[in-house]
């Protein structure tokens, strides 16, 4: 009873349930989460599903801003013959990803890197759910997100497009010819992010909607 009351008190302080229980289901898998990572959301399953359509056994892929590792490890669970690398600037987030790697019994490389800074290889696929909330809008988010999820995982700078610009500009150097770039976006960012990819020479750029009918993923392919 005492433990239950403590849990209620935590929830009353708007601590997310997933941080209280220490887990969140994603793609049918159970992931460990804490205050150092963004809680996996169902919307991101669309990103995994779209990427998995292109990703084949024998291919290698990079998950930028890997956080809990939910995208990286879910893709490796679906495509056991692929090779996956997760990169994140936060050492605390990488510790969570490492725990999930062990939890799920999946092989994956984890690298502490500010986007591509420490990346030396080329990949068949790059996937990312980068920070994309406009800085001024973060204070309007519900308390569970604003107060308890990592700020650096939310902050897309002034217009929310900062990381998309950097990824679109640098990704071609790390993608093999014909390789795919798959990005989760905010529901109002589809046209802008698609145009950023076209400006950098990506082919067959398209926007994919989520189950609610909102723009959720932008994908394009290296020429």
């Amino acid at each position: 009873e005492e433990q239950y009351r403590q849990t209620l008190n935590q929830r009353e302080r708007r601590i997310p349930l997933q941080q209280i229980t220490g887990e969140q289901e994603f793609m049918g898998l159970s992931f460990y989460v804490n205050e150092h990572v963004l809680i996996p959301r169902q919307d991101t399953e669309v990103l995994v599903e779209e990427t998995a359509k292109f990703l084949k056994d024998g291919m290698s892929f990079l998950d930028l801003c890997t956080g809990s590792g939910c995208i990286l490890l879910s893709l490796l669970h679906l495509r056991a013959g692929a090779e996956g690398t997760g990169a994140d600037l936060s050492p605390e987030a990488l510790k969570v990803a490492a725990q999930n790697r062990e939890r799920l019994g999946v092989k994956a490389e984890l690298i502490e890197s500010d986007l591509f800074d420490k990346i030396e290889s080329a990949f068949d696929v790059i996937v990312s759910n980068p920070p994309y909330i406009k800085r001024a809008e973060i204070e309007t988010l519900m308390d569970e997100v604003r107060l308890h999820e990592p700020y650096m995982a939310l902050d897309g700078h002034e217009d929310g497009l900062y990381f998309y610009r950097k990824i679109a500009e640098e990704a071609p150097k790390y993608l093999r010819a014909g390789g795919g770039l798959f990005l989760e976006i905010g529901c109002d960012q589809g046209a802008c992010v698609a145009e950023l990819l076209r400006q950098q020479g990506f082919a067959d750029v398209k926007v994919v909607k989520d189950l609610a009918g909102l723009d959720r993923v932008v994908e394009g392919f290296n020429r």
Side-chain angles (χ1 to χ4, degrees):
E1 181 185 354
E2 183 179 346
Q3 185 178 4
Y4 183 64
R5 290 186 182 279
Q6 287 174 356
T7 298
L8 289 178
N9 288 335
Q10 286 178 292
R11 192 66 192 96
E12 189 177 24
R13 300 201 310 272
R14 306 294 290 273
I15 296 174
L17 179 63
Q18 296 90 335
Q19 291 180 8
I20 296 171
T21 62
E23 66 179 332
Q24 167 70 4
E25 185 177 303
F26 180 83
M27 293 298 296
L29 304 170
S30 176
F31 286 86
Y32 166 67
V33 295
N34 63 18
E35 69 276 13
H36 297 302
V37 297
L38 203 65
I39 296 167
R41 289 161 167 79
Q42 283 187 316
D43 291 338
T44 304
E45 292 186 351
V46 179
L47 176 64
V48 173
E49 290 165 354
E50 282 300 308
T51 307
K53 291 176 185 177
F54 180 78
L55 183 66
K56 302 292 189 295
D57 287 350
M59 287 185 173
S60 65
F61 71 95
L62 172 66
D63 175 25
L64 286 176
C65 311
T66 196
S68 67
C70 65
I71 296 169
L72 169 72
L73 301 173
S74 294
L75 284 170
L76 288 169
H77 182 77
L78 291 169
R79 298 286 182 268
E83 294 183 359
T85 300
D88 203 291
L89 181 59
S90 165
E92 292 85 3
L94 289 172
K95 289 177 184 176
V96 175
Q99 284 186 250
N100 282 318
R101 178 177 60 185
E102 298 304 313
R103 183 181 184 124
L104 299 172
V106 174
K107 289 185 178 180
E109 183 179 9
L110 296 172
I111 298 175
E112 185 177 335
S113 178
D114 185 357
L115 295 182
F116 294 100
D117 280 357
K118 301 288 174 59
I119 304 301
E120 299 176 350
S121 306
F123 300 87
D124 299 294
V125 172
I126 296 174
V127 60
S128 184
N129 178 18
Y132 58 72
I133 307 296
K134 294 177 183 176
R135 188 167 284 171
E137 292 180 359
I138 292 177
E139 285 304 307
T140 70
L141 300 175
M142 60 184 182
D143 287 353
E144 283 84 348
V145 177
R146 179 175 61 88
L147 299 177
H148 298 290
E149 294 200 71
Y151 185 88
M152 68 181 289
L154 302 169
D155 181 21
H157 295 221
E158 279 67 28
D159 63 358
L161 299 174
Y162 174 82
F163 290 98
Y164 297 116
R165 290 191 190 91
K166 295 198 73 171
I167 292 171
E169 182 180 340
E170 297 182 44
K173 294 180 285 187
Y174 299 91
L175 265 179
R176 297 189 178 103
L181 175 62
F182 298 82
L183 301 169
E184 180 170 334
I185 57 165
C187 61
D188 60 348
Q189 295 174 320
C192 294
V193 176
E195 182 57 28
L196 287 174
L197 266 59
R198 292 189 186 100
Q199 289 174 3
Q200 296 299 329
F202 282 88
D204 301 322
V205 176
K206 70 173 182 176
V207 181
V208 179
K209 296 185 183 297
D210 60 22
L211 294 177
L214 302 172
D215 290 350
R216 186 56 58 192
V217 173
V218 174
E219 57 190 64
F221 300 88
N222 202 23
R223 295 181 187 275

